[in-house]
Amino acid sequence: MAPNSERSGSAVGSSGEDGLPVLPITWRPSRTRAIVFAVAVLMAASMSLVAALLPSDGGAPWPLADRIAFGAIGFAGAAVLCILARPKVIADRSGVTIVNMLRTHRLEWPQIVRVNLRPGDPWVLLDLDSGDTLAAMGIQPSNGPGAARQAVADLRSLVELYSYTGRGD
């Protein structure tokens, strides 16, 4: 895998000579993203089709503004759904960027105390040195438990290396 490659959440991926993942690396929930994008396209298309098929004349006509608004609702719903496909976790030599649905967090390696993915958790939880817990929604068991376990193992090994040895140099 090339140094600037992107790995989806479902890939087991390659390791460097030392067994660590090649940085930078990106984890994304690829199955979730595929489903969300498919539903968003279906929603926008079906609402647009219904808006086009609403009667514009006859006994109960729909005004043009109402038909346009009806179609726009489909696109607005699709845009909201696309927010669900946004999560990812990007690890590089200086730290981790956590992109969740609405917020992005940048963490330095020493800020991460523990990487947790317990049975039944919907995504990885990071225990921080401040005592807070941060959801890392980019690593999810929805891609299969093996891929999630590998991603967690990779992230844990990176946290261990970069948190305790400075910058891993």
Side-chain angles (χ1 to χ4, degrees):
M1 192 174 274
N4 291 326
S5 63
E6 185 171 297
R7 179 175 8 171
S8 74
S10 63
V12 176
S14 73
S15 298
E17 303 143 6
D18 52 4
L20 293 171
V22 177
L23 294 178
I25 185 168
T26 300
W27 293 283
R28 295 175 183 261
S30 58
R31 287 183 189 169
T32 301
R33 288 170 54 87
I35 291 168
V36 166
F37 285 140
V39 170
V41 167
L42 284 172
M43 176 182 276
S46 63
M47 294 294 277
S48 296
L49 179 65
V50 169
L53 295 176
L54 288 172
S56 60
D57 57 1
W62 283 72
L64 179 61
D66 289 351
R67 288 184 286 140
I68 290 172
F70 198 87
I73 289 171
F75 284 97
V80 170
L81 282 174
C82 287
I83 292 172
L84 296 174
R86 195 171 172 251
K88 62 184 171 182
V89 176
I90 305 164
D92 57 38
R93 294 182 72 79
S94 62
V96 180
T97 302
I98 308 295
V99 180
N100 287 333
M101 284 184 243
L102 298 176
R103 295 196 60 198
T104 299
H105 304 271
R106 178 69 186 169
L107 302 172
E108 301 299 320
W109 289 112
Q111 290 179 271
I112 304 171
V113 175
R114 182 176 300 141
V115 179
N116 296 310
L117 182 62
R118 297 175 297 260
D121 282 350
W123 41 70
V124 166
L125 298 172
L126 303 176
D127 291 337
L128 306 180
D129 63 351
S130 65
D132 293 334
T133 300
L134 176 64
M137 301 169 90
I139 302 174
Q140 301 178 4
S142 64
N143 282 336
R149 279 193 298 270
Q150 181 63 48
V152 168
D154 288 349
L155 187 55
R156 281 180 181 153
S157 63
L158 290 169
V159 166
E160 185 175 321
L161 173 69
Y162 289 105
S163 290
Y164 299 117
T165 61
R167 297 181 62 99
D169 298 325

